[in-house]
Amino acid sequence: MAKPTVRILALLEILQSGGAFSVADLARRLGVDERTVRRYATHLLDLGIPVEARRGRYGGYRLAPGYKLPPLMLTDEEAVAIALGLAAGRRAGLVTADHAATESATAKLRRVLPVGLARRIDALLATVDVTGPVRQPAPPGTEVLLVLAEAARHRHPVQLAYTTWHGSSSERGLDPYGLVFHNGRWYVTGRDHASGSVRTFRLDRIGAIRATDGAFEVPAGFDPTGHVLAGLASVPYAHDVSVLLHTSLAQARRRIPPSVGTLTEVADGVRLTTRAEHLDGAAQMLAGLGWPFTIERPAELRAEVRALAARLLTHTDAGE
């Protein structure tokens, strides 16, 4: 903590946690000497905050009993961090079903800020541009998100109502291993009690939910993100694709994320297995990788690659 103002607010945060603290303890926590701690306590008194001092060899400080601190006290850096976080979450789709919550939180933040700082943050949000895509969110209910988060952390099962993509509804028990946010959507992955297998569910399709009695253990080494991405890559599409990439596994992993397909190291390179609804998109992806490749299946993909090559040659010739 480099700035005195930040350290003074940090002192206030420590005192707010309750109890009395020795000067030596406060100095250690703040990374300053004891004389500086006493000066910071005086600054808090000057601001009208009732800091009580205890005299003597083991003297220290505490807040007066019953004192209620203002609801929000932020440094400039903290205020900017919160404002940017709210804006970035809205853009990325990292929101809940209560769409007004982000806007109301931003408005509340602005109301408690000094006029000058609020004006500067407004200028920042009005002028900043972000290169990442704007996601169309599929937000979950706040209660759904929080119940699942607590259940995953404390390892107790839940009972939930779920509606599939084609509209059928069911009640099911779940041991939630972890939550994953990917491309504007929230997912939970864990052991489905009905099937006994690890399944992935979208949170925006979960209705009523409640925690239930019991406990579970997450399998050793289980990776929720990896499981969700592998599941998304295996969603049924019109075409099952297998291509041998003549490159190394390390190179392939740098260019091809798990959500695209599965990479397997083989004698002649790396086998990419994936699924595609439209083969012209698969042909464009392969061409963009820049490596030699051998199409194993389907045969129709070879025709799409040849057609893409012909179009590129035609466009090149037209520019001469």
Side-chain angles (χ1 to χ4, degrees):
M1 290 178 287
K3 296 182 179 180
T5 300
V6 174
R7 290 196 292 263
I8 292 170
L9 290 175
L11 172 61
L12 181 56
E13 288 290 333
I14 295 171
L15 297 177
Q16 187 182 4
S17 65
F21 299 87
S22 69
V23 175
D25 183 29
L26 292 171
R28 178 183 57 81
R29 293 188 184 207
L30 297 172
V32 298
D33 57 35
E34 295 186 9
R35 182 177 180 181
T36 302
V37 170
R38 293 187 176 90
R39 188 168 69 250
Y40 289 167
T42 301
H43 283 312
L44 291 177
L45 284 168
D46 291 342
L47 292 171
I49 297 172
V51 177
E52 295 184 346
R54 188 176 65 222
R55 302 293 181 182
R57 180 179 178 185
Y58 301 103
Y61 295 98
R62 70 170 185 174
L63 285 180
Y67 176 71
K68 300 298 182 182
L69 288 173
L72 192 64
M73 296 184 70
L74 299 171
T75 66
D76 289 9
E77 291 81 1
E78 290 169 338
V80 171
I82 293 172
L84 288 177
L86 290 168
R90 182 169 56 245
R91 181 184 180 90
L94 194 61
V95 293
T96 64
D98 184 0
H99 298 285
T102 301
E103 300 301 331
S104 63
T106 302
K108 288 178 180 178
L109 173 66
R110 197 185 188 288
R111 284 199 298 271
V112 300
L113 294 178
V115 174
L117 178 58
R119 184 170 59 248
R120 297 178 75 187
I121 290 178
D122 286 345
L124 172 62
L125 296 179
T127 56
V128 69
D129 200 3
V130 181
T131 58
V134 178
R135 301 293 184 186
Q136 284 298 112
T142 302
E143 185 67 10
V144 170
L145 185 62
L146 295 180
V147 168
L148 284 171
E150 283 193 320
R153 182 173 188 179
H154 300 294
R155 298 184 177 180
H156 58 72
V158 297
Q159 190 74 20
L160 56 87
Y162 192 74
T163 303
T164 64
W165 66 273
H166 50 75
S168 63
S169 300
S170 62
E171 292 278 338
R172 57 182 72 232
L174 179 71
D175 296 341
Y177 293 166
L179 294 168
V180 176
F181 179 78
H182 176 67
N183 282 348
R185 292 190 174 96
W186 284 94
Y187 300 88
V188 60
T189 184
R191 188 181 72 88
D192 176 39
H193 293 183
S195 65
S197 60
V198 178
R199 300 278 304 277
T200 296
F201 302 98
R202 277 176 50 174
L203 266 64
D204 59 299
R205 293 176 179 164
I206 296 176
I209 186 171
R210 61 182 176 85
T212 58
D213 295 332
F216 64 86
E217 290 297 325
V218 179
F222 183 80
D223 177 15
T225 300
H227 185 83
V228 169
L229 294 180
L232 294 175
S234 64
V235 171
Y237 285 101
H239 302 282
D240 183 28
V241 175
S242 178
V243 178
L244 185 61
L245 305 173
H246 300 291
T247 186
S248 68
L249 182 59
Q251 289 283 350
R253 282 176 172 167
R254 278 196 283 268
R255 297 288 302 278
I256 303 172
S259 56
V260 170
T262 301
L263 298 170
T264 306
E265 191 170 25
V266 295
D268 297 327
V270 178
R271 176 171 288 112
L272 167 64
T273 55
T274 185
R275 290 168 173 81
E277 193 67 28
H278 303 287
L279 290 177
D280 56 345
Q284 293 170 22
M285 179 195 70
L286 291 171
L289 292 174
W291 305 313
F293 58 85
T294 301
I295 297 172
E296 297 178 324
R297 65 176 185 272
E300 295 87 349
L301 181 54
R302 298 189 186 97
E304 286 291 346
V305 171
R306 294 189 187 101
L308 174 61
R311 289 196 300 272
L312 292 174
L313 286 172
T314 299
H315 296 329
T316 301
D317 292 342
E320 294 180 350

